[in-house]
Amino acid sequence: SVDNKNLPLAQTPIPLPEEKATKLSDFINKIEYAILPEDTKVARIDKAQKFDNLYFLADYEITRGISIVNKNLTDITNIHNFGEGPGEYLTFLDFTINKSKKTVDLLSLNKLVRYNFEGKFLEEIKLPGIISKIQHIEGDNYLLYKSKALHENFKGPDNTSILWVWNSLSNELTRIPSPIELE
């Protein structure tokens, strides 16, 4: 037995559940399968999101694109702008749905590329550094994740933090301290 009362929070052991096997039926009621239309431009789905009556399916590596499919799987829009020009991208790291503007915001290496739900390019926004993941919060605000694994020589707002709130309009960054820092 270990006395946990005097251990710092970061060193407190996390108890493991006694049950090692969980049945799928314990947390899933029903599984439905759907065959995607042939016009879909995703080969391996890395991320999927649903908004309103649309499904957003992203393939970061093979096709480097996003397919937007309606709930009936009939209407398809593909964002597949691989290249170096305006509205194009070379690297596709993540995407998020901007629910305020009703846009698909694609995270490239040094820019956010914004498209409408019909796949039309709208604008590019320069990022404040190298970012790994992005999530729209509301309005012009995003939650940014910068992996600690990124090389320290890459430009970035701060090499000690991994989470930031970024306002894409003002380019203002707000650092989110880790819970350990707050202790």
Side-chain angles (χ1 to χ4, degrees), residues 48-63:
Q49 290 192 347
K50 182 180 183 297
F51 178 67
D52 286 342
N53 292 319
L54 299 172
Y55 295 100
F56 298 80
L57 312 170
D59 180 348
Y60 300 153
E61 294 177 26
I62 298 172
T63 64

Side-chain angles (χ1 to χ4, degrees), residues 15-31:
L16 297 175
E18 294 295 323
E19 264 185 58
K20 293 194 185 336
T22 302
K23 293 184 221 168
L24 206 55
S25 60
D26 289 344
F27 57 92
I28 294 179
N29 295 333
K30 178 171 90 170
I31 297 175

Side-chain angles (χ1 to χ4, degrees), residues 134-153:
I134 191 166
Q135 180 62 46
H136 178 252
I137 300 171
E138 66 180 357
D140 294 307
N141 293 316
Y142 294 83
L143 178 66
L144 303 180
Y145 169 75
K146 177 190 171 209
S147 171
K148 290 261 188 196
L150 285 175
H151 193 277
E152 62 188 29
N153 290 342

Side-chain angles (χ1 to χ4, degrees), residues 96-113:
T96 187
I97 300 167
N98 184 319
K99 295 176 183 175
S100 303
K101 296 182 186 303
K102 296 197 176 186
T103 60
V104 179
D105 296 350
L106 185 142
L107 179 64
S108 189
L109 192 58
N110 61 353
K111 61 186 174 181
L112 187 73
V113 188

Side-chain angles (χ1 to χ4, degrees), residues 1 25-26 44 50 66 79 90 99 111 118 140 182:
S1 173
S25 60
D26 289 344
R44 187 184 80 201
K50 182 180 183 297
I66 298 175
I79 298 171
L90 288 174
K99 295 176 183 175
K111 61 186 174 181
E118 289 77 43
D140 294 307
L182 298 174

Side-chain angles (χ1 to χ4, degrees), residues 1-181:
S1 173
V2 177
D3 180 18
N4 294 339
K5 294 176 194 167
N6 298 323
L7 288 175
L9 182 62
Q11 295 177 358
T12 304
I14 299 172
L16 297 175
E18 294 295 323
E19 264 185 58
K20 293 194 185 336
T22 302
K23 293 184 221 168
L24 206 55
S25 60
D26 289 344
F27 57 92
I28 294 179
N29 295 333
K30 178 171 90 170
I31 297 175
E32 293 183 37
Y33 295 95
I35 297 173
L36 295 174
E38 286 184 32
D39 294 347
T40 307
K41 295 277 187 210
V42 289
R44 187 184 80 201
I45 299 171
D46 292 297
K47 183 175 182 179
Q49 290 192 347
K50 182 180 183 297
F51 178 67
D52 286 342
N53 292 319
L54 299 172
Y55 295 100
F56 298 80
L57 312 170
D59 180 348
Y60 300 153
E61 294 177 26
I62 298 172
T63 64
R64 298 181 192 165
I66 298 175
S67 289
I68 305 168
V69 184
N70 70 352
K71 71 174 187 171
N72 300 323
L73 303 177
T74 54
D75 291 331
I76 302 134
T77 299
N78 292 301
I79 298 171
H80 194 255
N81 295 342
F82 187 72
E84 293 187 52
E88 297 176 339
Y89 50 87
L90 288 174
T91 307
F92 181 14
L93 302 171
D94 195 11
F95 84 95
T96 187
I97 300 167
N98 184 319
K99 295 176 183 175
S100 303
K101 296 182 186 303
K102 296 197 176 186
T103 60
V104 179
D105 296 350
L106 185 142
L107 179 64
S108 189
L109 192 58
N110 61 353
K111 61 186 174 181
L112 187 73
V113 188
R114 183 170 283 155
Y115 302 89
N116 66 17
F117 289 172
E118 289 77 43
K120 181 182 174 204
F121 166 72
L122 299 174
E123 65 181 325
E124 289 181 0
I125 303 167
K126 185 169 173 31
L127 292 168
I130 304 294
I131 307 301
S132 302
K133 297 288 179 190
I134 191 166
Q135 180 62 46
H136 178 252
I137 300 171
E138 66 180 357
D140 294 307
N141 293 316
Y142 294 83
L143 178 66
L144 303 180
Y145 169 75
K146 177 190 171 209
S147 171
K148 290 261 188 196
L150 285 175
H151 193 277
E152 62 188 29
N153 290 342
F154 280 132
K155 275 185 159 179
D158 179 342
N159 285 332
T160 62
S161 297
I162 61 170
L163 291 177
W164 298 81
V165 173
W166 171 56
N167 184 290
S168 63
L169 193 58
S170 68
N171 207 29
E172 182 180 329
L173 281 171
T174 306
R175 181 176 178 269
I176 300 175
S178 74
I180 293 173
E181 285 181 74

